[in-house]
Amino acid sequence: MIYLSIVLLILWLCPLTALAENRVENDLNKDGIIDQVLIYDNSGTIRQVDMDQNQDGFFEKHQFYTRGVLSRIERDTTGDHHMDCTDFFENEKRVRQEKRDTKGNLIQVALFADDGQIQKIQKDTTGDRRFDTLFYFETGRLISSTKDTDGNGTVNITTFYDNELPVRQEVDENENGTLDRIVFFDTQGQIQKILKDPYQKDRYQTTLIFENGQMKTRERDSNKNGKPDDITWFEKEQPVAQKQDTNFDGRFDIITRFSNGVVQFQEKDLDFDGVSDFFADFDDTGKVLKTREDTSRNGQIDRIRHYRSGTLYKVAHDHDGDEFFEAVSLMENDRIVKNLIDKNRDGTPDVAVFFNENQQRDRLISDTDFNGASDTWQYYTEDVLIRVDKDENGDGNVDHKVYYKNGQKTHLVRDTSFDGYFDTTQRYDDPKWSLIVTQDVSQNGQPDIRSFFKGEVLRRKEVDETLDGNLDLVETYDEDGDLKTLEERKQGTPWLTWYYAPGEILVRGEEDKNQDGVVEIWYLYENGRLVTVKEDTTLDGKPDLWETYDETQAMVKRERDLDFDGTPDFVETIDQAETDS
């Protein structure tokens, strides 16, 4: 009846401009635009009232009456000239409200109790023409809501309210009867706590704690033992610190600090002994700047990695634990390109090792006497040593080269006079000898001295004393390295050979005077002293002249075989006076 009274009052105040036509048009604000239309039936009973409340020339509200009683109101609540909201009345009380989209599809229905208080709201939030979200009220106050997120008719989210504010929300995403997430709210309706990631009934792996609607703490129970092993603290919705127990022993082994939401520092206990042995610093973008590690687990940092824009470019090592980082590896594209080693710890690298693209050693340069100048160069093929060059006198020139094959030393050459000519060669690859040393003293390209070794013992030596290309001396040695024979040659042909007993004691000499390969003279010694000389003067292969010497090396007797039967026929005694003269 209240609506009818209002209409009658309007009729009394406003002139009836078209009563005969059952239609009254009014310009309530006198702006020249009709903003109200009243329509009556033939009996003068109101049937409809149209209103233009914002003076735009469009009637955005229509009230419909049945027998003079309000039964329906249609409104354009969005100002798009489409009627999107309809209220239904019974006995002048609103019982239902419908809202539609611009296409006329029903998107919301609200139901009201007899006292006019809302009881229930149904919403289609997805546009699939199904009511997926429901709100329930008691005495006009919201008490709960449900939501079907996948449109299959099963509730996935249930929210409970108090004083029009949410207090608890339950989420069952996979519809298996187990709550996947529970959200608790404070008295202001802000999120206070979230439980999610269930692993059994009422047990959850993740707990989120909020203050004033902002997340303050996140706890995770990764191994499902009821204790958090990952705790993260937040400020202004951004992480500021984190602790993790990665091996689930009850002790946090990773500690991380954040700045502006990105990691700034991190420390780790890699061996889980309760002591941190890894530390990392990061730049403002969260890219690692430097890491420090205690790889030997002795409490001292012994490896430091340096990064540029998150890319590793340098690694420093303290291999002996003296807190001095004597080795540095330089990196490119996560590969070592050079190692620098400071052996004498004076701050200047003494060794530089270069690597190829396959991370294999290519060459090594070192300063072995620490004078600041390189003196040794090592070269590699496929990480196998092939040559070593050395500057032994420090003049900047290579005077010592060692060659390798399959990792084994084959030979070396040396410039012993430091004049630029490599005069000495040592070979290690001869199948008979462990070492052969040749010397080209004359620098004519031909060896003048050759020494042969077995193990580390000299067993043979050949000498060209006259530097004419022919051997003048050939020496052999026993297993102890003592001289065994000494062969003297003329124009490369043997003519005199000396024989020695162990201890390099001379015992015999044999002379081939005419170098025909047959001995003509024999020198016999006792205890290193000449005692007898035998000579074949007739060249028949048998001695026919004998000489005897005393302790002073003086000849005291001469014997001859005149008939060449091998027996002396003539004996000549030499006086001491003769020998003295």
Side-chain angles (χ1 to χ4, degrees):
M1 296 298 293
I2 187 171
Y3 292 100
L4 180 60
S5 300
I6 293 174
V7 173
L8 294 176
L9 177 61
I10 294 173
L11 291 175
W12 180 77
L13 293 175
C14 301
L16 299 177
T17 58
L19 183 57
E21 299 177 355
N22 300 326
R23 178 184 180 91
V24 178
E25 295 181 352
N26 295 310
D27 178 9
L28 299 179
N29 60 357
K30 309 300 182 181
D31 64 352
I33 299 176
I34 300 300
D35 47 32
Q36 184 187 69
V37 175
L38 294 89
I39 302 175
Y40 301 84
D41 62 14
N42 293 330
S43 66
T45 303
I46 189 71
R47 290 177 49 206
Q48 181 176 337
V49 178
D50 299 334
M51 302 179 191
D52 175 10
Q53 296 175 319
N54 60 359
Q55 292 79 45
D56 64 350
F58 178 79
F59 293 98
E60 65 272 358
K61 183 177 181 181
H62 303 278
Q63 297 181 182
F64 299 91
Y65 298 81
T66 301
R67 299 184 182 90
V69 178
L70 182 65
S71 62
R72 186 172 83 250
I73 298 177
E74 295 181 0
R75 290 177 290 163
D76 171 17
T77 62
T78 60
D80 62 354
H81 295 185
H82 290 87
M83 296 296 113
D84 51 65
C85 180
T86 303
D87 293 295
F88 298 89
F89 295 82
E90 292 181 2
N91 299 321
E92 295 188 340
K93 294 180 181 180
R94 184 169 57 172
V95 295
R96 178 184 177 94
Q97 183 187 76
E98 296 180 356
K99 290 187 177 182
R100 300 177 182 273
D101 59 18
T102 57
K103 296 180 179 180
N105 297 319
L106 187 62
I107 58 174
Q108 178 176 308
V109 173
L111 304 178
F112 298 85
D114 292 341
D115 57 3
Q117 293 182 334
I118 190 168
Q119 283 186 319
K120 182 179 180 181
I121 295 177
Q122 304 173 102
K123 285 188 176 183
D124 173 13
T125 62
T126 61
D128 64 353
R129 301 184 183 183
R130 296 179 182 180
F131 292 116
D132 52 78
T133 303
L134 306 179
F135 296 89
Y136 298 91
F137 299 80
E138 283 186 1
T139 63
R141 300 172 67 88
L142 179 63
I143 60 170
S144 66
S145 65
T146 62
K147 187 176 182 65
D148 173 13
T149 59
D150 53 15
N152 66 351
T154 301
V155 173
N156 303 103
I157 301 176
T158 301
T159 306
F160 301 92
Y161 301 82
D162 186 21
N163 293 325
E164 302 291 326
L165 297 174
V167 293
R168 177 185 173 96
Q169 186 179 80
E170 300 174 351
V171 182
D172 180 8
E173 294 176 342
N174 53 11
E175 303 171 359
N176 63 352
T178 299
L179 296 181
D180 302 299
R181 183 169 68 250
I182 302 176
V183 183
F184 299 89
F185 299 83
D186 61 18
T187 57
Q188 303 300 316
Q190 296 177 321
I191 296 178
Q192 188 176 52
K193 182 170 69 172
I194 297 177
L195 303 178
K196 64 178 185 176
D197 306 323
Y199 58 90
Q200 64 183 54
K201 183 176 177 57
D202 298 328
R203 302 296 293 270
Y204 295 85
Q205 289 186 271
T206 303
T207 300
L208 307 179
I209 305 297
F210 295 77
E211 288 183 8
N212 298 321
Q214 293 187 341
M215 185 162 61
K216 301 296 292 185
T217 309
R218 179 182 63 204
E219 298 181 359
R220 282 193 56 81
D221 176 13
S222 302
N223 65 336
K224 307 174 184 178
N225 67 347
K227 299 179 180 179
D229 45 61
D230 184 336
I231 303 176
T232 304
W233 290 267
F234 295 81
E235 289 183 4
K236 296 180 180 179
E237 300 293 333
Q238 291 186 337
V240 293
Q242 182 183 35
K243 290 184 177 181
Q244 295 170 273
D245 175 14
T246 59
N247 68 332
F248 313 121
D249 65 350
R251 296 185 298 190
F252 293 104
D253 44 71
I254 299 180
I255 299 175
T256 306
R257 293 198 298 268
F258 300 83
S259 177
N260 296 321
V262 297
V263 62
Q264 183 184 47
F265 172 80
Q266 189 175 75
E267 62 179 85
K268 299 180 181 180
D269 175 13
L270 298 178
D271 58 357
F272 309 115
D273 64 350
V275 179
S276 296
D277 42 44
F278 175 93
F279 307 86
D281 300 300
F282 300 80
D283 63 16
D284 293 339
T285 65
K287 293 180 180 178
V288 63
L289 279 175
K290 181 173 67 175
T291 63
R292 293 165 289 134
E293 302 172 66
D294 173 16
T295 63
S296 58
R297 307 299 188 261
N298 64 356
Q300 292 182 347
I301 298 299
D302 50 41
R303 181 167 66 192
I304 301 177
R305 300 174 186 263
H306 299 266
Y307 297 78
R308 187 181 292 117
S309 298
T311 300
L312 181 64
Y313 76 93
K314 182 171 69 174
V315 182
H317 303 269
D318 172 19
H319 291 297
D320 52 13
D322 63 353
E323 300 185 7
F324 183 86
F325 290 83
E326 70 278 357
V328 175
S329 299
L330 302 182
M331 316 287 292
E332 289 182 6
N333 299 322
D334 292 329
R335 296 178 179 176
I336 300 176
V337 295
K338 184 193 297 185
N339 275 346
L340 300 176
I341 304 172
D342 182 6
K343 289 188 173 182
N344 65 341
R345 291 153 174 76
D346 64 352
T348 301
D350 314 304
V351 179
V353 185
F354 298 84
F355 296 83
N356 61 21
E357 60 182 9
N358 296 321
Q359 293 288 270
Q360 297 172 330
R361 286 174 295 178
D362 183 68
R363 67 187 188 280
L364 181 150
I365 302 175
S366 56
D367 171 18
T368 60
D369 55 8
F370 311 121
N371 67 349
S374 300
D375 51 47
T376 302
W377 298 262
Q378 297 178 199
Y379 301 91
Y380 299 81
T381 296
E382 295 183 353
D383 209 33
V384 178
L385 184 64
I386 60 171
R387 191 174 91 238
V388 177
D389 295 351
K390 294 184 179 181
D391 172 17
E392 295 187 320
N393 68 335
D395 64 354
N397 297 315
V398 174
D399 40 52
H400 186 155
K401 297 182 179 181
V402 184
Y403 295 85
Y404 296 80
K405 184 177 182 180
N406 297 326
Q408 300 296 320
K409 183 164 56 176
T410 59
H411 66 285
L412 65 81
V413 295
R414 296 180 65 188
D415 173 14
T416 58
S417 58
F418 308 116
D419 59 0
Y421 184 82
F422 289 88
D423 50 75
T424 301
T425 300
Q426 296 179 198
R427 298 209 65 91
Y428 301 88
D429 55 354
D430 189 275
K432 182 178 180 181
W433 306 99
S434 61
L435 171 63
I436 300 176
V437 180
T438 62
Q439 295 172 266
D440 180 9
V441 180
S442 61
Q443 298 187 6
N444 63 357
Q446 298 294 326
D448 307 312
I449 302 174
R450 293 202 301 174
S451 302
F452 302 82
F453 294 80
K454 287 189 176 181
E456 296 184 358
V457 179
L458 177 65
R459 300 300 299 274
R460 180 180 176 89
K461 186 175 183 180
E462 301 173 352
V463 182
D464 176 12
E465 290 184 327
T466 59
L467 308 180
D468 61 355
N470 295 311
L471 294 180
D472 300 309
L473 292 175
V474 176
E475 301 172 356
T476 63
Y477 298 82
D478 63 17
E479 294 178 352
D480 296 324
D482 292 335
L483 184 63
K484 186 176 180 182
T485 65
L486 190 155
E487 182 181 275
E488 300 182 37
R489 297 186 180 189
K490 294 179 179 180
Q491 299 298 315
T493 302
W495 72 278
L496 180 58
T497 302
W498 303 98
Y499 296 89
Y500 296 82
E504 295 192 352
I505 299 174
L506 183 62
V507 295
R508 184 171 83 254
E510 296 179 353
E511 182 177 350
D512 178 8
K513 295 173 63 176
N514 59 2
Q515 297 179 275
D516 63 351
V518 179
V519 176
E520 292 92 24
I521 302 176
W522 292 264
Y523 301 91
L524 306 179
Y525 291 78
E526 291 182 1
N527 298 321
R529 178 176 62 83
L530 180 65
V531 295
T532 303
V533 176
K534 300 188 294 184
E535 183 175 356
D536 175 12
T537 61
T538 61
L539 306 178
D540 63 354
K542 296 182 296 182
D544 52 62
L545 175 62
W546 294 264
E547 294 177 351
T548 303
Y549 294 79
D550 64 12
E551 295 179 354
T552 66
Q553 303 289 294
M555 183 172 62
V556 296
K557 182 172 66 175
R558 179 182 292 119
E559 300 175 84
R560 295 180 183 273
D561 178 9
L562 300 178
D563 57 3
F564 309 112
D565 62 353
T567 302
D569 304 311
F570 176 80
V571 178
E572 178 183 3
T573 303
I574 310 298
D575 292 339
Q576 184 66 38
E578 279 188 52
T579 58
D580 289 345
S581 62

